[in-house]
Amino acid sequence: MFIIMGNTKSKRNPPPLPNNIEKDTNVSAGERDFKQNHELCGLSLDIEGISTNVPEILSSDEDPEDVFYKFVILHAQNDADEASRLQHLLQNNFCIKPGIIFAEMPSGRHFLQNLNDAVNRSAWTIILLTEHFLSEAWCEFQSYASVMNALNKQHKYNSVIPLRPLNNPLPREKTPCVLQAINALEEDSPGFAKQVEKIFQESKYRQQQAMWMEERKKERKNK
C-alpha cells in the first residue's frame, strides 16, 4: 500500500453526463475506424454480463467491493466532466468496461483509501493529462503513487496509461518527468484506436482480476 499526502477536496460525486454527449463528443478518424472492429467489443461483452453502470453489474447478493474494474481514470477536480466523457468513450465506443473515474469513488471515505482502492481494483490506471493537471498538487502525487504501485507489483507492469484528451491537453513539455518515460495515449492521434486495442487486452485484464480475487480471499480469511 502506498502513502501519499493530498487534498481531500477531490471526494465528490461526478456531474451527470449530458444527454447529448454522443453528439457533442469529437471523434477522431482512428476511433471511427475502430468502431468497425467488433472483435474487442465481443470479448468485453462476454464478461459475465457486465454493463456500463456499476449497479447493473452487481446482483442483489453481490458486494460492490468485489467489482474489479478494467480501468480507473485519475483526474483533476476540475476535469470530472472530461473524465466522464472519456469513460463513456472507452466503455461504449470501444467496449472496455466496467470502468470508473475517481470522482465516482464512494463518498465518506478518506481520499487516500479511495485512491488506494481505485488503483488496486483496476487493471489499468489512466492519468488524465490536461492543463488542470498541474494546477492541483495532488494530481502529481497520484501519478507518482500509481507508477510506484506498478513498479512494486509485477502483474501491474505497464498498467499506468497517461492520456492526453482532445480538450485542453497538457503539452508534452509540461508533462512531469515520471510520466514522460511512459508512452501516452493521444486522443487526437490517427492511431488512437489501434493503441487502445493494443493496450486494453482481455487476457491482461483476466490475469489481474484473478490475482486480485486471490488477494481478496486471503484478506477475508485472515480477518
Side-chain angles (χ1 to χ4, degrees):
M1 176 177 178
F2 49 78
I3 300 177
I4 63 176
M5 299 296 293
N7 191 333
T8 60
K9 290 183 179 180
S10 60
K11 294 190 301 181
R12 67 186 186 90
N13 294 324
L17 288 173
N19 293 329
N20 63 342
I21 189 168
E22 292 187 2
K23 296 180 180 180
D24 293 339
T25 299
N26 293 323
V27 180
S28 69
E31 294 168 30
R32 289 196 295 271
D33 292 340
F34 187 75
K35 288 164 69 176
Q36 306 296 325
N37 186 343
H38 299 289
E39 180 180 357
L40 182 60
C41 183
L43 287 171
S44 299
L45 293 177
D46 190 46
I47 306 176
E48 300 177 356
I50 288 176
S51 61
T52 304
N53 298 315
V54 174
E56 297 174 3
I57 295 171
L58 305 173
S59 69
S60 58
D61 297 328
E62 288 180 307
D63 186 345
E65 295 295 320
D66 287 334
V67 178
F68 187 72
Y69 296 96
K70 284 203 169 179
F71 65 87
V72 60
I73 300 178
L74 302 184
H75 56 85
Q77 184 174 351
N78 290 332
D79 284 332
D81 288 342
E82 185 67 0
S84 292
R85 181 187 71 80
L86 289 166
Q87 177 193 30
H88 179 274
L89 176 70
L90 292 173
Q91 290 192 133
N92 295 287
N93 291 35
F94 295 97
C95 300
I96 303 170
K97 50 183 145 180
I100 191 170
I101 67 173
F102 190 74
E104 292 177 334
M105 294 299 291
S107 59
R109 295 198 309 181
H110 195 278
F111 166 81
L112 297 181
Q113 182 182 356
N114 273 341
L115 180 57
N116 185 68
D117 288 349
V119 172
N120 289 328
R121 290 175 56 199
S122 303
W124 291 276
T125 302
I126 298 173
I127 309 293
L128 186 58
L129 297 179
T130 72
E131 286 283 5
H132 294 139
F133 181 88
L134 296 180
S135 67
E136 299 179 21
W138 66 269
C139 287
E140 288 197 61
F141 282 114
Q142 281 184 321
S143 301
Y144 282 104
S146 300
V147 171
M148 290 304 299
N149 185 60
L151 291 175
N152 291 328
K153 295 184 177 181
Q154 186 175 3
H155 66 283
K156 287 286 189 179
Y157 183 71
N158 283 340
S159 64
V160 178
I161 314 296
L163 192 158
R164 287 188 182 84
L166 288 174
N167 305 316
N168 196 31
L170 181 69
R172 293 180 182 84
E173 61 272 15
K174 292 184 179 181
T175 303
C177 292
V178 69
L179 296 179
Q180 287 183 6
I182 306 174
N183 289 330
L185 274 173
E186 310 275 353
E187 193 181 1
D188 64 350
S189 169
F192 177 73
K194 289 185 177 180
Q195 284 183 299
V196 170
E197 181 179 14
K198 182 178 180 180
I199 291 171
F200 298 97
Q201 296 182 14
E202 185 69 16
S203 59
K204 182 71 172 179
Y205 168 73
R206 291 293 191 178
Q207 178 192 39
Q208 290 205 46
Q209 183 187 43
M211 297 185 74
W212 178 79
M213 291 177 68
E214 188 63 29
E215 290 177 358
R216 292 276 291 171
K217 289 179 182 178
K218 291 179 181 179
E219 290 174 0
R220 288 172 174 172
K221 187 177 180 179
N222 294 333
K223 285 184 179 180

